[in-house]
Amino acid sequence: MLWRPCRMPTKTSRGWPCFQNMLHYMKRKRASCTALQFSEKLLLLFDDECSQLRETSICLFKDLMEAVVWCDRRRMKTKVRRGLLPLFFHMSDQSPSVAKVSRKALAVVAKILEWEELRHVICPHQTQRITECLLEQDRSRAEGYCHQSLPYLKDAQAPLREAAVRFIGLAARPLRDQSKEKLAEMCSGCEQPQKWDWLHKKAL
């Protein structure tokens, strides 16, 4: 039987709960196709100023990831990697419910990536270990992680800004011998001089 493609609700739509409920009633294969279709769009909502939309989008992202069937996991791995840092940073979200669902979603992402070490360190008081785990697995991703972290240096939430500063301070270390200009460019994202100095020292 043919089925029509699903449409994700708009940012201001009230259809999110219906969309989430519909996902639970889908057959596994169709839910997996929906996950491939909408996962990247949901990533754009993780940093929305509305905490309810952040929570809903992250929760739905988690549900979609859990719906992915085994044959689709290879295609999904590239997509879920882009959610690693946003979910990690939102573990420090000022909204407790957003922080909680971010931890759960990050654990699901780690499972899809077959990253057991990361799954075992995901808890509120292990942010330093999570950072180390992200960087130890593949140091070639350090520069990409740094650039992905830059927008969080200007986030409206202080805890997220602080988390980004700490992360970049550690992630930039492998880059210190490659290009001082590149390091300075990344550090310039810090608006507060004392944070720039701290970040620069961490990278040296």
Side-chain angles (χ1 to χ4, degrees):
M1 181 177 178
L2 295 175
W3 50 272
R4 294 180 180 179
C6 297
R7 288 187 178 182
M8 194 174 78
T10 61
K11 180 177 175 180
T12 56
S13 171
R14 296 182 180 179
W16 288 98
C18 293
F19 186 80
Q20 204 160 9
N21 290 334
M22 183 177 65
L23 176 66
H24 292 299
Y25 287 100
M26 286 181 183
K27 290 185 178 180
R28 191 69 187 273
K29 181 60 180 176
R30 183 180 177 185
S32 185
C33 291
T34 302
L36 290 167
Q37 182 182 359
F38 293 131
S39 58
E40 289 185 276
K41 294 181 180 179
L42 286 169
L43 287 173
L44 300 175
L45 301 176
F46 286 8
D47 302 319
D48 194 85
E49 61 183 14
C50 174
S51 63
Q52 185 176 0
L53 187 53
R54 292 199 303 275
E55 180 183 355
T56 300
S57 61
I58 293 173
C59 186
L60 185 53
F61 181 83
K62 177 184 74 68
D63 291 346
L64 286 172
M65 296 306 101
E66 291 177 323
V68 176
V69 295
W70 183 258
C71 62
D72 289 329
R73 285 200 170 187
R74 176 174 291 183
R75 286 190 291 168
M76 183 57 72
K77 284 183 177 181
T78 301
K79 296 178 183 292
V80 299
R81 277 193 179 276
R82 296 173 190 152
L84 283 170
L85 282 187
L87 291 173
F88 169 60
F89 289 138
H90 282 288
M91 285 177 57
S92 302
D93 201 285
Q94 290 176 332
S95 168
S97 58
V98 174
K100 182 178 180 179
V101 75
S102 295
R103 290 194 296 272
K104 291 182 178 180
L106 186 58
V108 172
V109 169
K111 182 178 179 180
I112 289 178
L113 295 175
E114 301 176 84
W115 198 344
E116 288 301 314
E117 185 180 1
L118 179 60
R119 288 181 65 191
H120 292 153
V121 298
I122 296 174
C123 64
H125 306 295
Q126 289 285 348
T127 53
Q128 172 80 10
R129 187 67 195 98
I130 295 172
T131 298
E132 294 171 352
C133 190
L134 288 170
L135 297 172
E136 286 171 0
Q137 192 206 41
D138 189 352
R139 294 192 177 276
S140 66
R141 296 182 184 273
E143 185 177 346
Y145 282 151
C146 284
H147 283 288
Q148 192 180 6
S149 303
L150 289 178
Y152 291 95
L153 295 174
K154 298 180 181 180
D155 194 272
Q157 296 187 62
L160 269 66
R161 294 197 301 270
E162 295 292 341
V165 169
R166 289 193 296 270
F167 184 88
I168 295 176
L170 291 175
R173 285 180 177 178
L175 305 176
R176 66 182 184 272
D177 297 327
Q178 297 179 21
S179 171
K180 293 182 179 179
E181 291 77 13
K182 186 178 295 183
L183 180 59
E185 178 186 348
M186 289 186 292
C187 291
S188 65
C190 289
E191 293 181 337
Q192 299 178 3
Q194 62 271 29
K195 287 187 178 181
W196 193 100
D197 292 338
W198 183 89
L199 200 163
H200 190 265
K201 289 176 182 176
K202 289 288 286 186
L204 296 177

